[in-house]
Amino acid sequence: MIELKNVEKYFGAHHVLRDINLKVEKGEVVAIIGPSGSGKSTLLRCANYLEMPAEGFIALNGRTIDFRHVTKHDILYLTRNTAMVFQQYNLFKNKTALGNVEEGLVVVQKKDRSVARAEALRRLDAVGLTDRVNYYPRQLSGGQQQRVAIARALALNPAVILFDEPTSALDPEMVGEVLEVIRGVTESGITTLIVTHEMNFAREVADRVVFLDDGCIVEEGAPVSIFDNPRNSRTRQFLERVTGGGRSVLSPPAREDATVYERDRQPRAWLGEERSA
């Protein structure tokens, strides 16, 4: 179980998240939707402390952390129990698919290289990439790179997996293959938060849908309630625009999410600096 309580986040004078309260039960799949710049990516990044909230609390599997008084042990706990799948794959360019997946197991979890390799191979097989384990990112399609990123996240065996618009950087013909892998993840019983602009997918896989706008949770409920009978006028307006073919929610993130979008082009710091192959 993961719960965010009274979370506030600023970028300078811009109030990005406003009194966020969100509880996700163990095994639940929650889809977060909303317009670009509404704070969706920032919410996920606060959940595993890639962004530092100004205040609020996070509870994860019985441990509560006060964002105003975070310790190194708290940060380590969050990073070890959550895993993020980014928009931009975030792979090491000079490592193979296998190397990308096993690196976190060796560096973060201090596993023996042989044990890490066996787990990495198992996870790559699960996402359909057994025949691509020795390929470098430049040799893989966008969809294959994102599947490597998903395998890497799953290999860490997190309590919660966080998907940040995992299909937004893909060509249309590659979206389906990644969504099928994510569907398998959600069906495996792992607690999942997914920020997505794929409305049909959110309707199909989510137990609950959260609509975020201007840093606030405007409405949440079962997919059938949100998509077929939204109570809030802002939710209705957004869904009408999306289903009407508007492109704004498919564009690269704006405002605070633009910074996140650029930052995610680089591999996560905890995996260490890139080394020569």
Side-chain angles (χ1 to χ4, degrees):
M1 182 274 290
I2 185 170
E3 183 175 8
L4 296 168
K5 303 177 184 178
N6 309 121
V7 172
E8 304 278 347
K9 173 65 182 175
Y10 296 83
F11 286 127
H14 180 44
H15 198 172
V16 183
L17 296 177
R18 307 167 185 264
D19 194 27
I20 295 294
N21 289 275
L22 178 63
K23 184 176 182 179
V24 183
E25 299 294 346
K26 184 176 181 179
E28 189 177 18
V29 179
V30 173
I32 303 172
I33 65 172
S36 296
S38 59
K40 305 183 302 296
S41 293
T42 302
L43 189 157
L44 289 192
R45 295 174 72 90
C46 286
N48 73 344
Y49 212 71
L50 282 172
E51 296 290 350
M52 181 170 57
E55 60 183 275
F57 301 85
I58 184 169
L60 179 58
N61 287 345
R63 178 169 177 169
T64 299
I65 296 169
D66 185 343
F67 284 129
R68 294 169 297 180
H69 307 287
V70 177
T71 68
K72 291 182 180 180
H73 291 296
D74 292 332
I75 297 172
L76 185 60
Y77 181 80
L78 289 177
T79 56
R80 283 183 172 175
N81 285 279
T82 61
M84 177 85 82
V85 176
F86 299 92
Q87 300 171 22
Q88 290 294 318
Y89 322 141
N90 223 20
L91 301 179
F92 288 114
K93 295 180 181 179
N94 64 342
K95 291 185 181 296
T96 63
L98 179 61
N100 268 281
V101 177
E102 71 180 6
E103 188 72 2
L105 296 171
V106 173
V107 175
V108 180
Q109 298 189 349
K110 310 301 181 185
K111 291 186 176 182
D112 180 81
R113 179 69 67 175
S114 62
V115 174
R117 179 151 298 194
E119 177 64 10
L121 287 170
R122 186 173 75 87
R123 295 296 185 174
L124 285 167
D125 178 64
V127 299
L129 290 176
T130 300
D131 61 341
R132 295 291 188 272
V133 296
N134 293 316
Y135 282 52
Y136 289 89
R138 67 180 179 274
Q139 299 171 306
L140 300 172
S141 69
Q144 289 169 337
Q145 290 184 63
Q146 191 62 295
R147 282 190 277 159
V148 172
I150 294 170
R152 180 180 60 188
L154 292 172
L156 296 173
N157 196 29
V160 180
I161 190 165
L162 311 167
F163 289 98
D164 184 13
E165 297 198 25
T167 62
S168 65
L170 299 178
D171 292 334
E173 64 268 23
M174 297 178 183
V175 170
E177 68 184 60
V178 172
L179 291 181
E180 281 306 305
V181 171
I182 297 173
R183 187 190 305 275
V185 173
T186 63
E187 292 174 351
S188 72
I190 186 171
T191 306
T192 304
L193 278 80
I194 177 169
V195 169
T196 183
H197 57 248
E198 302 287 346
M199 297 298 125
N200 288 335
F201 185 71
R203 178 195 285 268
E204 293 172 9
V205 304
D207 299 304
R208 185 156 44 102
V209 175
V210 173
F211 175 64
L212 197 70
D213 187 42
D214 196 25
C216 300
I217 294 178
V218 175
E219 186 171 356
E220 61 180 297
V224 66
S225 298
I226 297 297
F227 289 113
D228 294 343
N229 190 30
R231 298 185 304 274
N232 189 280
S233 60
R234 182 67 188 94
T235 311
R236 288 195 297 272
Q237 180 187 47
F238 169 78
L239 291 173
E240 288 170 0
R241 180 161 56 88
V242 173
T243 57
R247 282 189 53 82
S248 60
V249 295
L250 303 182
S251 302
R255 287 160 46 185
E256 85 286 347
D257 288 344
T259 302
V260 170
Y261 182 81
E262 293 300 323
R263 186 183 304 142
D264 287 347
R265 293 179 184 271
Q266 301 300 321
R268 279 191 60 165
W270 53 256
L271 286 179
E273 298 297 326
E274 290 190 20
R275 298 185 291 274
S276 299

